[in-house]
Amino acid sequence: MADTSKKQSFLHGTMLLALSTAVVKIIGAFYSIPLKQIIGDDSFGYYSTAYEIYTLLLLISTAGLPVAMSRMIASASSLNHYREMRKIYTTARTIFLTLGFIGTLLMTGFCKQLAVWQQQPDAWAAIGTLGPCCFLICLMSTYRGFFQGQGNMKPTSVSQVIEAVCKLVVGLALALWLVNITTIGAYPAAGAIFGVTASCLISSFYLNRCFRKAYKEMPPSCEEVSSGKDIAKGLLSIAIPITIGVAGLQLLTVLEIGVYMSKLRENFSAILHTAEFEHLFQVFGKADAKDAVQSIMDTQKGIYNFTQKIFNMPCAFITPITISIIPAITSQLTLKNQDAAKSTGESASRICALVAMPCGIGLALLAEPITRLLGGYTGEKLALATQLMSVLGVCVVFNSLVLLTTAIMQAYGHEKLPVVNMFVGGLVKLAAVFILTGNPAIGIVGTPIGSLLCYVCITVLNLFTMRRVLPNPPAVLKNMFRSLLAAALMGATAWGTWKGLQILLNGSVNALVACAVPIVAGAVVYFIAAIKLRAITREDCLLLPKGEKIANLLHL
């Protein structure tokens, strides 16, 4: 009964986080898409550069500690050791806030140096404005780790929605105001990103209120509590390997930006003052001759950053699965139930595949109508966005596999092994980007190709490692295969519908129609195929709210 409860808690938590993620992504679309139109590709590139540096510092601060805190609290919670849970929280909070303060100091104090390092000097204002978020996110992570370790995903879910709403309102309002009063691209980007800082501040107040109530309601217990020093060692022994792996990969990604920007500069400088360059410059914008190369580079980077935003949307739905699976499996392993842990891992694989497969295949095959609608691109900008999005669509599938398999190994206590796999994948990515972007015929398209090679490499290594070290590993690929077949049928339907519309309407298809009709047709086929192929089991449905009715309705 306890095992069923733990698995049910995992699925309930996943559903709650997935629902909040859906709301956040819808709000995010209302933010990112008009934001690019408001501030332009150049400023959107500055905005993205600030986010990339922020992500690196944030990962160093919070990549491993939330996982470590969640695992340790899950283990203590499964044994009803409430005194230990309190001690884990207070120790983790001290570590979190120290790291957050350092990250904030770096971003605000060295914003201009960081912008120059990224070869986008005008990004300094956005970087400095985002700096306080490092401290605020670390504060929020202590609260979220406390709740997630107990399988309570509601505070995390609600706080994410609060963040998204505040970012939308404050960010767009400031961006619009600054665009109208200044011609300097750095300031609208900073105004837009201030919405993120404001949203983190408001969300942290909400989480603090939830935490104070839950902390007071925790019952007393009389177990012997570990010392703060021992808890800190336990937290860091889990967190440091994870942080090294994730932050190391992110550091390689930041280095990759410098590599491909440098290679693009070489490519465009080599054709400066030629007819080919004049054509490109007319497509991507005009400026003084000395700024021509930088203008084209910034524009192409802005287009790439925008396609990455689309890529991140489906990937964000995998995160709820990984957040929920770690405490669920940890609790089952604490109670010595290997079969329940394996079953939870396989349920997570099926749910992951239900999301990742159709999204990845859909983005790859419908890259042109999607980027045309969401990005407003035409001509050669559309051609570039289509190439980038097609590769990133395939990346969705393999990135999801990386996230899932890494979370499973972390839950089993093998957090050090994925570190090596991530580092190897990161080196593969960096080498591929260096080689491919240096080829003028490939250019910036070599960057997502490098990402794809990276994710494929890590996936293969993770699957091999799981088979080698886990006593009863979940059958990840086997449980994803049925969703892959259903997604393949969906992809064929969606692509055929899109091509059919082009033929019937002689190529003059409205952007919304060209995107929406194939997606709806593909979604219907996928829903039917997923049920007929039994991509999700009756057992999974029974663990959901109203699960028996859902299972009967779907004839499972």
Side-chain angles (χ1 to χ4, degrees):
M1 185 75 178
D3 296 328
T4 300
S5 177
K6 287 295 180 184
K7 188 175 177 183
Q8 190 171 32
S9 177
F10 151 66
L11 286 174
H12 283 182
T14 300
M15 284 188 62
L16 192 59
L17 283 174
L19 180 61
S20 70
T21 299
V23 174
V24 167
K25 288 303 172 183
I26 291 170
I27 295 172
F30 283 102
Y31 174 71
S32 296
I33 295 170
L35 177 64
K36 189 189 76 67
Q37 304 297 333
I38 291 168
I39 66 178
D41 286 322
D42 287 2
S43 290
F44 195 78
Y46 307 149
Y47 175 93
S48 300
T49 295
Y51 240 114
E52 286 152 2
I53 295 171
Y54 164 69
T55 301
L56 173 61
L57 294 174
L58 191 63
L59 284 175
I60 293 172
S61 304
T62 64
L65 276 169
V67 174
M69 186 179 179
S70 176
R71 272 183 52 188
M72 292 182 71
I73 285 184
S75 182
S77 178
S78 67
L79 300 172
N80 296 324
H81 288 175
Y82 299 111
R83 288 184 63 203
E84 185 80 0
M85 289 169 61
R86 291 185 177 94
K87 188 68 172 180
I88 291 168
Y89 166 77
T90 55
T91 304
R93 182 184 60 190
T94 301
I95 300 172
F96 267 114
L97 297 186
T98 301
L99 292 172
F101 177 76
I102 294 170
T104 291
L105 186 63
L106 285 172
M107 282 195 73
T108 54
F110 299 93
C111 56
K112 291 190 175 181
Q113 292 87 337
L114 289 169
V116 171
W117 178 46
Q118 288 297 88
Q119 299 192 42
Q120 284 201 304
D122 288 338
W124 68 269
I127 295 171
T129 303
L130 193 59
C133 276
C134 284
F135 181 83
L136 293 170
I137 286 289
C138 285
L139 175 63
M140 292 160 61
S141 294
T142 61
Y143 299 138
R144 288 171 174 170
F146 175 80
F147 289 116
Q148 290 165 11
Q150 300 172 73
N152 180 7
M153 305 300 170
K154 182 179 177 181
T156 297
S157 302
V158 174
S159 66
Q160 288 175 343
V161 175
I162 291 173
E163 282 182 68
V165 172
C166 292
K167 182 174 72 171
L168 172 69
V169 175
V170 177
L172 285 186
L174 279 176
L176 276 168
W177 178 60
L178 289 167
V179 161
N180 289 326
I181 66 170
T182 181
T183 57
I184 301 174
Y187 297 143
I193 220 157
F194 181 77
V196 180
T197 303
S199 69
C200 288
L201 180 62
I202 295 171
S203 185
S204 65
F205 282 118
Y206 165 77
L207 285 168
N208 177 264
R209 186 167 62 87
C210 292
F211 168 76
R212 284 189 286 109
K213 180 181 178 182
Y215 197 79
K216 290 178 181 178
E217 292 175 351
M218 285 175 63
S221 60
C222 56
E223 77 279 0
E224 184 178 347
V225 179
S226 304
S227 68
K229 183 178 179 181
D230 288 339
I231 291 175
K233 285 182 178 178
L235 285 167
L236 293 175
S237 67
I238 299 171
I240 288 175
I242 297 172
T243 301
I244 290 173
V246 177
L249 183 59
Q250 185 64 28
L251 177 60
L252 290 173
T253 300
V254 172
L255 292 175
E256 163 209 315
I257 297 169
V259 168
Y260 75 67
M261 290 294 279
S262 176
K263 288 295 180 180
L264 289 178
R265 186 183 299 278
E266 290 178 10
N267 292 344
F268 291 125
S269 295
I271 61 172
L272 194 62
H273 305 306
T274 66
E276 183 181 356
F277 177 80
E278 292 297 331
H279 173 66
L280 280 172
F281 198 39
Q282 288 175 6
V283 172
F284 290 106
K286 296 183 178 181
D288 295 334
K290 63 180 181 179
D291 297 327
V293 172
Q294 186 69 45
S295 176
I296 296 174
M297 287 168 54
D298 288 344
T299 302
Q300 288 201 351
K301 185 177 184 296
I303 294 171
Y304 175 53
N305 290 146
F306 186 75
T307 58
Q308 282 183 308
K309 290 278 186 184
I310 301 174
F311 159 77
N312 287 331
M313 289 182 184
C315 293
F317 287 93
I318 307 303
T319 302
I321 301 172
T322 62
I323 289 174
S324 301
I325 197 176
I326 291 174
I329 291 180
T330 297
S331 295
Q332 289 157 349
L333 293 175
T334 300
L335 299 173
K336 311 295 184 184
N337 196 328
Q338 293 283 346
D339 290 338
K342 177 182 179 181
S343 178
T344 299
E346 291 181 345
S347 288
S349 301
R350 290 190 291 271
I351 297 169
C352 177
L354 281 171
V355 176
M357 296 300 179
C359 289
I361 291 175
L363 286 176
L365 294 178
L366 298 178
E368 182 177 326
I370 288 172
T371 53
R372 178 188 168 200
L373 174 66
L374 299 182
Y377 296 122
T378 57
E380 294 195 26
K381 286 188 178 182
L382 177 60
L384 176 61
T386 299
Q387 288 180 288
L388 295 168
M389 195 71 259
S390 296
V391 181
L392 288 173
V394 182
C395 284
V396 168
V397 175
F398 288 98
N399 184 45
S400 300
L401 275 164
V402 169
L403 294 172
L404 176 67
T405 53
T406 297
I408 290 173
M409 282 191 282
Q410 289 171 352
Y412 273 84
H414 294 288
E415 60 278 342
K416 295 180 182 179
L417 297 175
V419 173
V420 178
N421 300 343
M422 287 184 185
F423 186 68
V424 172
L427 289 178
V428 169
K429 180 180 182 179
L430 196 60
V433 169
F434 181 83
I435 295 169
L436 295 173
T437 56
N439 184 340
I442 299 175
I444 199 170
V445 180
T447 305
I449 294 174
S451 296
L452 177 58
L453 294 174
C454 169
Y455 295 136
V456 170
C457 177
I458 299 173
T459 297
V460 172
L461 291 173
N462 276 2
L463 290 171
F464 175 78
T465 303
M466 286 173 58
R467 291 186 60 184
R468 182 170 58 87
V469 302
L470 300 189
N472 193 17
V476 173
L477 294 182
K478 179 181 177 182
N479 281 277
M480 289 184 154
F481 185 68
R482 295 173 188 268
S483 291
L484 175 60
L485 290 179
L489 292 172
M490 175 218 73
T493 302
W495 187 83
T497 303
W498 173 54
K499 285 296 182 182
L501 284 172
Q502 288 187 309
I503 294 170
L504 286 173
L505 300 177
N506 199 25
S508 58
V509 189
N510 176 271
L512 179 60
V513 173
C515 192
V517 173
I519 288 176
V520 171
V524 171
V525 170
Y526 181 69
F527 180 75
I528 296 171
I531 294 173
K532 294 296 183 182
L533 293 171
R534 300 193 179 278
I536 189 170
T537 67
R538 183 177 181 84
E539 179 190 20
D540 295 332
C541 282
L542 292 177
L543 294 170
L544 300 173
K546 307 293 183 181
E548 187 171 356
K549 290 184 178 180
I550 295 173
N552 292 336
L553 180 65
L554 299 179
H555 302 290
L556 295 176

